[in-house]
């Protein structure tokens, strides 16, 4: 049996979730559910990134202790995972001293033992929003273009990680496809970013960053949040604790947004190489969701709360919209109008009508049992189903989830046209064999289509299977 390990990024516990976060999680959920359908032993991880200056400040602004503050935010994300119908096997929190911290200590010590950490002075511009140092050339009019804030000038003692030592090897990883990045175009971006990569700061003085994991054997330093956060992918499955973490490691897919590509495609592999650990097999990179063409922001007041959205439309319409309307690897736009159009057009009219038309024909006109024997099957339909499955699988495996849905819907559109063309009700008395063939073919389309739909719309697929007495 194959194993499949897929992760989402861990979400910053500084604010509640928005649809961008929901999108990342749902995309990863599709991959997890798809691999379970294939029979792979699957582990799907999501969780929270709870340390760092950004979170400590958000807690202070809310008048709470950081732990209490992150506990509350994490509760919201756990609830969201349920509402999104995520099939995650675990939910990691970086403040978990039993589960997460031992893994962070272990990787730190392994990197140190490989002589890849050294002490140095750091002088630079720190963007709290990114929890990262920025170059002057990254700024626009002196401010961070993503957060619209002026970075802080910082001069301090840090431990540095010898990232530059791994540049050549990382370059080869992408040139030879050892780590596959989807879409491929992002690999070129990684190679370009790699050229400018230097050794990176791996810790911050404890006095400036108390909310974090202390450096083992140096209590005056706190482990830099990204080294802390990335390690979640290992700690959750048992690295640093007793347990067979190699059962699932290496990760098969890290699903991430384009903004955190450098961390996952350069820093993380370098850490793993240094610690002598296997590398993830692939990184699937999605774009950003805008709202009515604008960046989502608290100032504009256009942040879409996924919980509210699901309350209004139900989970599967929201999953469908995000997975079908937003091209998986590009930016996409949310609007209520687009969501409603997708809902009415694709879900209600196309799929909904197909299911009710066929169910009604069976209920009112079919006297014999359905028989899926080849002779009751229209060859044209058989071929259409096989072709659709091939295209669907290829699309999912290339992280083109929107295309996978397009293929399934093409099949449903075909089935609706097939009913119109065959007019099965005309055949009931004079051509019962032909009637049976049409119905069998239609049911086969619905059963196959809803089977492949399960990773995307688990609730809907379940309901359709129940109507046609199938186990999903
Ligand atoms: N904590 C880090 C990740 C550490 S992983 C070891 C982080 N967290 S985040 O909460 O800011 O972002 C989590 C995910 O949400 C990222 O994949 C990010 O790209 C995604 N999104 C945040 N805003 C988004 C949109 N507007 N649209 C789509 N996804 C976006 O980064």
């Amino acid at each position: 049996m194959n194993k499949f390990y897929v992760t989402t990024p861990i979400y910053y516990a500084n604010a509640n979730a928005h649809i961008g976060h929901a999108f990342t999680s749902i995309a990863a959920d599709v991959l997890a559910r798809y691999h379970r359908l294939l029979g792979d032993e699957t582990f799907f991880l999501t969780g929270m990134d709870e340390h760092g200056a950004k979170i400590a400040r958000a807690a202070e602004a809310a008048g709470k202790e950081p732990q209490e503050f992150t506990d509350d935010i994490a509760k919201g994300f756990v609830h969201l995972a349920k509402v999104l119908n995520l099939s995650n096997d675990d939910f990691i929190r970086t403040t978990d001293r039993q589960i997460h911290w031992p893994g962070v200590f272990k990787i730190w010590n392994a990197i140190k033992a490989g002589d890849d950490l050294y002490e140095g002075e750091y002088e630079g511009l720190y963007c709290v929003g990114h929890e990262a140092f920025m170059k002057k050339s990254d700024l626009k009019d002196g401010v961070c273009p993503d957060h619209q804030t002026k970075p802080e000038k910082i001069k301090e003692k840090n431990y540095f990680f010898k990232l530059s030592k791994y540049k050549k090897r990382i370059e080869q990883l992408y040139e030879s496809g050892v780590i596959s990045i989807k879409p491929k175009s992002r690999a070129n971006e990684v190679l370009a970013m790699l050229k400018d990569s230097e050794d990176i700061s791996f810790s911050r003085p404890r006095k400036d960053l108390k909310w974090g994991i202390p450096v083992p054997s140096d209590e005056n330093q706190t482990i830099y949040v990204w080294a802390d956060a990335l390690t979640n992918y290992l700690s959750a499955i048992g690295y640093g604790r007793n347990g067979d973490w190699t059962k699932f490691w290496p990760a098969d897919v890290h699903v991430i947004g384009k903004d955190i590509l450098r961390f996952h495609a350069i820093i993380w592999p370098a850490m793993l190489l240094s610690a002598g650990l296997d590398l993830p097999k692939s990184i699937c990179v999605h774009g950003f969701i805008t709202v009515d063409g604008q960046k989502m922001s608290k100032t504009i007041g256009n942040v879409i709360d996924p919980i509210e959205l699901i309350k209004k439309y139900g989970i599967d319409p929201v999953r469908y919209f995000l997975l079908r309307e937003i091209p998986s690897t590009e930016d996409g736009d949310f609007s209520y109008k687009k969501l409603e159009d997708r809902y009415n057009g694709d879900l209600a009219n196309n799929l909904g009508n197909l299911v009710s038309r066929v169910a009604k024909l069976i209920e009112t006109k079919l006297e014999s049992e359905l028989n899926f024997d080849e002779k009751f099957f229209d060859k044209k339909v058989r071929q259409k189903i096989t072709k659709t499955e091939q295209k669907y699988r290829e699309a999912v495996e290339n992280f083109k989830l929107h295309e996978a849905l397009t293929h399934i819907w093409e099949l449903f559109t075909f089935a609706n046209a097939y009913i119109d063309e065959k007019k099965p009700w005309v055949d009931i008395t004079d051509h019962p064999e032909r009637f049976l063939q049409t119905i069998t073919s239609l049911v086969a389309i619905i059963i196959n289509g809803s089977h492949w739909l399960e990773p995307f719309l688990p609730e809907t697929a379940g309901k359709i299977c129940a109507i046609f007495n199938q186990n999903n």
Side-chain angles (χ1 to χ4, degrees):
M1 192 197 264
N2 289 330
K3 68 94 188 162
F4 183 75
Y5 178 27
V6 56
T7 66
T8 71
I10 45 173
Y11 300 103
Y12 279 133
N14 64 328
N16 292 326
H18 56 61
I19 46 163
H21 304 128
F23 178 66
T24 309
S25 288
I26 292 171
D29 186 51
V30 171
L31 300 182
R33 288 177 180 273
Y34 170 78
H35 279 271
R36 285 195 202 99
L37 269 193
L38 297 185
D40 296 344
E41 193 177 0
T42 300
F43 195 82
F44 171 24
L45 177 68
T46 186
M48 302 301 292
D49 188 353
E50 304 190 3
H51 292 131
K54 181 152 87 173
I55 290 154
R57 283 183 197 182
E60 204 183 317
K64 289 184 186 168
E65 283 302 313
Q67 189 64 61
E68 185 196 353
F69 178 76
T70 56
D71 283 349
D72 286 347
I73 302 268
K75 257 186 222 141
F77 273 84
V78 169
H79 174 62
L80 177 66
K82 287 213 174 70
V83 175
L84 293 175
N85 204 355
L86 300 187
S87 61
N88 56 304
D89 297 285
D90 201 358
F91 190 97
I92 178 108
R93 296 182 56 190
T94 55
T95 48
D96 192 323
R97 291 175 184 232
Q98 262 77 46
I99 303 287
H100 181 61
W101 289 31
V104 178
F105 293 141
K106 185 166 173 169
I107 203 165
W108 180 279
N109 288 332
I111 294 172
K112 193 172 169 212
D115 202 22
D116 284 339
L117 293 177
Y118 61 92
E119 286 182 47
E121 270 274 299
Y122 198 91
E123 202 175 343
L125 297 165
Y126 195 80
C127 169
V128 178
H130 273 119
E131 293 286 13
F133 284 99
M134 298 190 78
K135 288 197 237 58
K136 268 207 175 120
S137 56
D138 295 332
L139 307 178
K140 225 175 162 186
D141 303 325
V143 297
C144 162
D146 292 337
H147 299 98
Q148 297 299 318
T149 49
K150 212 171 160 181
E152 295 165 17
K153 256 201 191 127
I154 283 179
K155 188 174 175 187
E156 60 188 28
K157 192 193 109 174
N158 285 173
Y159 283 98
F160 281 81
F161 170 53
K162 289 184 192 166
L163 178 66
S164 46
K165 179 172 155 188
Y166 295 97
K167 276 169 81 163
K168 194 84 222 138
R169 279 171 74 187
I170 292 178
E171 194 177 286
Q172 284 160 358
L173 294 178
Y174 295 108
E175 280 169 356
S176 61
V178 169
I179 299 180
S180 105
I181 297 202
K182 291 162 192 166
K184 277 205 182 106
S185 55
R186 297 271 177 211
N188 298 334
E189 245 172 74
V190 172
L191 290 173
M193 287 192 277
L194 197 60
K195 287 210 170 67
D196 298 337
S197 295
E198 293 158 8
D199 290 353
I200 54 163
S201 158
F202 234 42
S203 72
R204 301 209 46 209
R206 191 101 192 130
K207 65 175 178 38
D208 299 321
L209 181 59
K210 289 190 189 65
W211 185 237
I213 305 179
V215 166
S217 67
D218 186 347
E219 60 193 24
N220 295 320
Q221 292 279 316
T222 300
I223 295 177
Y224 174 57
V225 283
W226 274 94
D228 163 349
L230 288 160
T231 310
N232 89 87
Y233 302 133
L234 281 165
S235 63
I237 53 170
Y239 178 81
R241 293 178 283 137
N242 291 332
D244 186 12
W245 57 275
T246 54
K247 178 174 174 198
F248 284 108
W249 193 257
D252 293 84
V253 181
H254 290 313
V255 175
I256 60 164
K258 62 180 182 179
D259 55 326
I260 54 178
L261 180 61
R262 189 170 79 93
F263 294 98
H264 285 80
I266 296 179
I267 299 174
W268 182 226
M271 285 171 67
L272 293 167
L273 286 171
S274 167
L277 300 169
D278 286 344
L279 299 165
K281 292 189 189 146
S282 73
I283 303 174
C284 291
V285 191
H286 67 73
F288 260 49
I289 301 179
T290 50
V291 173
D292 292 314
Q294 280 184 301
K295 195 179 157 173
M296 240 187 301
S297 99
K298 275 197 193 139
T299 344
I300 303 176
N302 63 350
V303 177
I304 304 285
D305 175 351
I307 306 242
E308 288 305 314
L309 202 63
I310 292 162
K311 260 190 209 147
K312 186 163 177 205
Y313 295 98
I315 178 59
D316 276 3
V318 172
R319 283 179 71 114
Y320 182 75
F321 170 80
L322 291 173
L323 293 163
R324 173 66 188 81
E325 181 75 26
I326 314 287
S328 313
T329 54
E330 284 154 50
D331 294 346
D333 191 45
F334 169 89
S335 78
Y336 286 99
K337 162 109 180 45
K338 285 182 192 155
L339 192 154
E340 284 169 15
D341 285 351
R342 285 281 173 203
Y343 181 82
N344 293 328
D346 298 1
L347 293 176
N349 288 343
N350 194 334
L351 175 59
N353 269 341
L354 174 65
V355 169
S356 62
R357 285 168 97 186
V358 177
K360 204 163 169 201
L361 277 169
I362 293 177
E363 205 181 292
T364 56
K365 312 281 185 218
L366 188 74
E367 275 160 10
S368 53
E369 283 286 297
L370 278 179
N371 183 336
F372 290 95
D373 198 277
E374 274 307 309
K375 71 174 173 193
F376 293 114
F377 231 96
D378 184 341
K379 272 213 188 70
K380 187 171 87 175
V381 172
R382 162 71 78 215
Q383 277 166 3
K384 182 83 190 165
I385 292 175
T386 313
K387 196 96 210 119
T388 305
E389 176 169 4
Q390 277 166 2
K391 288 196 280 189
Y392 160 87
R393 290 185 58 160
E394 206 181 304
V396 176
E397 278 156 31
N398 285 306
F399 196 54
K400 292 187 173 163
L401 307 180
H402 59 300
E403 282 185 13
L405 282 176
T406 312
H407 297 312
I408 302 182
W409 254 262
E410 260 170 34
L411 186 67
F412 294 151
T413 305
F414 167 88
N416 272 315
Y418 189 76
I419 305 181
D420 298 340
E421 177 201 325
K422 296 281 172 188
K423 300 189 177 37
W425 50 91
V426 175
D427 288 337
I428 296 168
T429 23
D430 296 342
H431 303 284
E433 279 239 338
R434 205 155 68 192
F435 176 73
L436 196 60
Q437 189 191 53
T438 308
I439 297 296
T440 309
S441 303
L442 285 166
V443 173
I445 288 183
I446 293 176
I447 290 171
N448 280 283
S450 57
H451 180 70
W452 305 325
L453 205 54
E454 195 278 339
F456 293 80
L457 309 182
E459 233 178 62
T460 305
K463 279 186 199 153
I464 298 173
C465 284
I467 294 174
F468 295 95
N469 290 327
Q470 289 287 317
N471 297 321
N472 211 347

